[in-house]
Amino acid sequence: MPKQKQLVKDFLKRYNMDYENIDIEENCKIFIDEMKNGLEGKPSSLQMIPTYITVDREIPLEEPIIVLDAGGTNFRVATCYFDREKKPIIENYKSYRMPGTYGEISKEEFFETMANYIKPVLQYSRKIGFCFSYPTEVLPNKDGRLLQFSKEVRVKDLIGEVIGENLLKTLNDMGLDGNKDIVILNDTVATLLGGKAKYPDRMFSSYVGFILGTGTNTCYIEQNCNIKKAKDLAGKSGFTIINVESGGYSKAPRGLIDEEYDLQTVNPGEYSFEKMLSGKYQGGLIATAIKKAAAEGLLSEAFSKKFDKISELIAKDINDFLYYPYSKSILSTCCSEEGDDAIILYHIIDCIIERAAKLVAINLSAILLKIGEGINPCKPVCITAEGSTFYKSKLFKDKLDYYIKDYLNDKKDFYCEFVQAENATLIGAAIAGLLN
């Protein structure tokens, strides 16, 4: 092994950040136990939120619906309908900045901002499908009560509030048409629905929605009899989509650098799994590791001086370096022309992304093993994936594919297929709103 790579591996081992020490089998069992506890209403870091949304009805055709998507960075608005060939048609599309991402705002400002965003499309439909990408307790009437914010969004006094009800009330208070039927769902659930609609003729044994972008989350289809904490579901036959809220998983093996970086975030102690692998936190976590490595002499003094002047490192900066390690990136300009700075830096980034891929493999493998689907390679589980980190990271996807094949396919004989559906969250929100 090259000496630079060995230096980095030894460094990460000292801080318990080494991916090689993570046992997939052991961690899948722990993840499944947390899933079961969450479904039964026992203490768990996985909230396992019943969505009250099913996937077994026909989508009405040529009926318009207003669709909203509140994500980690953007708030998207559009209208959607399905034509006679069941193809989704998206119109009146606009993208805005997510309220609360540019400084703390009040609850009233939050809903007023959203109301102004959707004002231009209110006349198109009485139905709204609202993809709300934050931990939310979905109520039997398909509205949702906010449990907590993540992804660094800051709004005062919003925790515990019912999202759809407040939005419709704000519309009425502003003299706008708030007489709407609204369905709240998570972006991961919308992704699952969008993927299912994209491939109506494919044979899949089940469906999973997976987000790895600004944040991370998963959802899947669970038997109602296993959702013991929801009395109105547990006694019924059939299936319901479960929003896992996997970003909040707390049983993953964290290292000392994880813990140090966590203290720098807006919500220390919360969403530790998300902070180990999602795009919002990737730059900060890697920056923390780089500073530690520089302090221990793995990087040159000249590098350290230049790096200290960088106010913030983001996921794009990491990717730019991986593509252009000797030019065109913020990190490459810090590296000395002579010496091993760039190589050391590459191996630090590579190891942390490798660990992220292994953790995601645990998350997804645990779901398939829990539901027992995907044992026929001709009918794999369809995993609809969304998010810039999943699709744009230079290193991540190949590493994830390796762990899926090595553990899930070769060791367990379970099979899945990753698919991409354009505008999956908007289309999924439309399906949920039209069917419920």
Side-chain angles (χ1 to χ4, degrees):
M1 181 182 296
K3 66 174 184 177
Q4 300 96 333
K5 187 174 183 178
Q6 189 63 57
L7 279 171
V8 170
K9 283 184 169 288
D10 291 344
F11 159 71
L12 292 173
K13 282 181 181 178
R14 289 196 294 276
Y15 290 94
N16 298 320
M17 298 288 292
D18 183 20
Y19 67 86
E20 292 179 333
N21 287 333
I22 298 175
D23 186 293
I24 295 183
E25 179 83 12
E26 176 186 345
N27 280 278
C28 276
K29 290 178 181 177
I30 296 170
F31 200 101
I32 291 171
D33 285 343
E34 286 289 276
M35 291 176 71
K36 291 178 178 177
N37 287 338
L39 288 172
E40 294 175 9
K42 297 176 181 178
S44 173
S45 61
L46 295 176
Q47 296 181 50
M48 305 299 289
I49 301 169
T51 66
Y52 296 92
I53 292 173
T54 60
V55 295
D56 55 357
R57 293 171 54 199
E58 287 294 319
I59 301 167
L61 304 180
E62 299 188 318
E63 180 181 345
I65 182 170
I66 299 164
V67 287
L68 313 177
D69 179 16
T73 306
N74 299 315
F75 188 97
R76 301 191 297 163
V77 179
T79 59
C80 181
Y81 70 92
F82 290 81
D83 65 17
R84 293 184 180 181
E85 284 73 44
K86 300 182 180 180
K87 179 183 176 182
I89 307 298
I90 295 174
E91 299 176 323
N92 304 299
Y93 175 87
K94 292 285 186 181
S95 181
Y96 305 92
R97 189 164 183 178
M98 178 65 188
T101 57
Y102 43 84
E104 189 174 53
I105 61 175
S106 69
K107 177 180 68 176
E108 292 75 18
E109 288 176 293
F110 181 76
F111 287 110
E112 287 170 6
T113 301
M114 289 196 297
N116 281 313
Y117 287 165
I118 68 176
K119 180 179 177 180
V121 298
L122 287 174
Q123 74 271 22
Y124 288 102
S125 177
R126 287 191 65 256
K127 293 183 177 181
I128 298 176
F130 191 172
C131 176
F132 193 74
S133 308
Y134 300 89
T136 304
E137 175 193 2
V138 177
L139 307 174
N141 68 353
K142 309 299 191 300
D143 206 338
R145 179 179 289 109
L146 181 66
L147 298 174
Q148 67 187 98
F149 264 131
S150 56
K151 310 180 184 76
E152 313 291 287
V153 174
R154 291 178 288 171
V155 182
K156 285 188 264 185
D157 304 320
L158 195 60
I159 305 299
E161 292 290 330
V162 179
I163 301 302
E165 178 184 302
N166 273 280
L167 178 57
L168 298 182
K169 180 180 182 300
T170 301
L171 288 170
N172 284 326
D173 290 346
M174 294 171 64
L176 301 171
D177 180 10
N179 183 27
K180 308 289 184 185
D181 297 322
I182 190 165
V183 172
I184 301 289
L185 69 159
N186 184 272
D187 59 340
T188 322
V189 178
T191 295
L192 183 155
L193 293 171
K196 189 174 187 298
K198 177 72 174 180
Y199 301 95
D201 300 325
R202 293 289 306 277
M203 293 282 288
F204 293 111
S205 60
S206 192
Y207 296 85
V208 170
F210 173 55
I211 302 287
L212 185 62
T214 304
T216 190
N217 193 15
T218 41
C219 73
Y220 72 103
I221 302 169
E222 180 62 82
Q223 295 184 68
N224 286 340
C225 62
N226 292 329
I227 313 172
K228 297 179 180 178
K229 67 180 178 182
K231 303 300 183 186
D232 49 347
L233 290 174
K236 295 181 179 179
S237 61
F239 298 82
T240 295
I241 299 175
I242 293 292
N243 170 18
V244 177
E245 283 299 332
S246 51
Y249 181 59
S250 67
K251 299 296 181 72
R254 297 172 75 203
L256 299 177
I257 293 174
D258 290 310
E259 294 172 1
E260 181 177 327
Y261 172 60
D262 184 29
L263 296 175
Q264 303 170 34
T265 63
V266 169
N267 53 347
E270 299 177 3
Y271 273 68
S272 58
F273 195 64
E274 187 165 86
K275 292 171 185 174
M276 297 172 78
L277 49 93
S278 76
K280 178 71 177 180
Y281 302 101
Q282 185 184 88
L285 179 62
I286 289 174
T288 305
I290 290 171
K291 288 177 182 177
K292 285 283 186 190
E296 294 194 9
L298 272 72
L299 296 156
S300 68
E301 186 176 339
F303 175 93
S304 298
K305 288 180 179 178
K306 291 179 181 178
F307 187 75
D308 286 343
K309 295 178 181 178
I310 297 176
S311 58
E312 181 185 24
L313 198 65
I314 61 175
K316 183 180 182 302
D317 298 328
I318 303 298
N319 226 32
D320 286 347
F321 171 78
L322 294 173
Y323 279 109
Y324 306 104
Y326 293 105
S327 64
K328 297 185 180 181
S329 69
I330 291 174
L331 286 174
S332 65
T333 60
C334 297
C335 298
S336 60
E337 295 182 4
E338 298 179 358
D340 296 335
D341 284 344
I343 299 172
I344 293 290
L345 200 56
Y346 178 92
H347 285 306
I348 291 172
I349 294 168
D350 181 76
C351 286
I352 289 177
I353 294 178
E354 180 99 20
R355 187 186 69 154
K358 200 168 187 179
L359 292 172
V360 168
I362 290 166
N363 179 177
L364 297 175
S365 297
I367 290 174
L368 268 65
L369 296 172
K370 163 73 173 65
I371 62 177
E373 297 288 356
I375 57 176
N376 180 349
C378 297
K379 291 177 64 177
V381 171
C382 174
I383 302 179
T384 308
E386 278 283 308
S388 56
T389 304
F390 183 86
Y391 287 108
K392 293 182 180 180
S393 171
K394 182 177 185 292
L395 301 178
F396 176 82
K397 184 61 168 56
D398 287 344
K399 295 178 183 296
L400 176 62
D401 287 342
Y402 166 80
Y403 287 112
I404 291 294
K405 183 181 185 305
D406 179 65
Y407 177 73
L408 200 59
N409 301 162
D410 296 345
K411 292 185 173 67
K412 292 295 181 180
D413 285 322
F414 277 73
Y415 299 87
C416 62
E417 181 178 335
F418 292 97
V419 303
Q420 185 176 14
E422 187 178 0
N423 289 316
T425 51
L426 290 176
I427 294 166
I431 294 170
L434 289 170
L435 292 181
N436 295 275

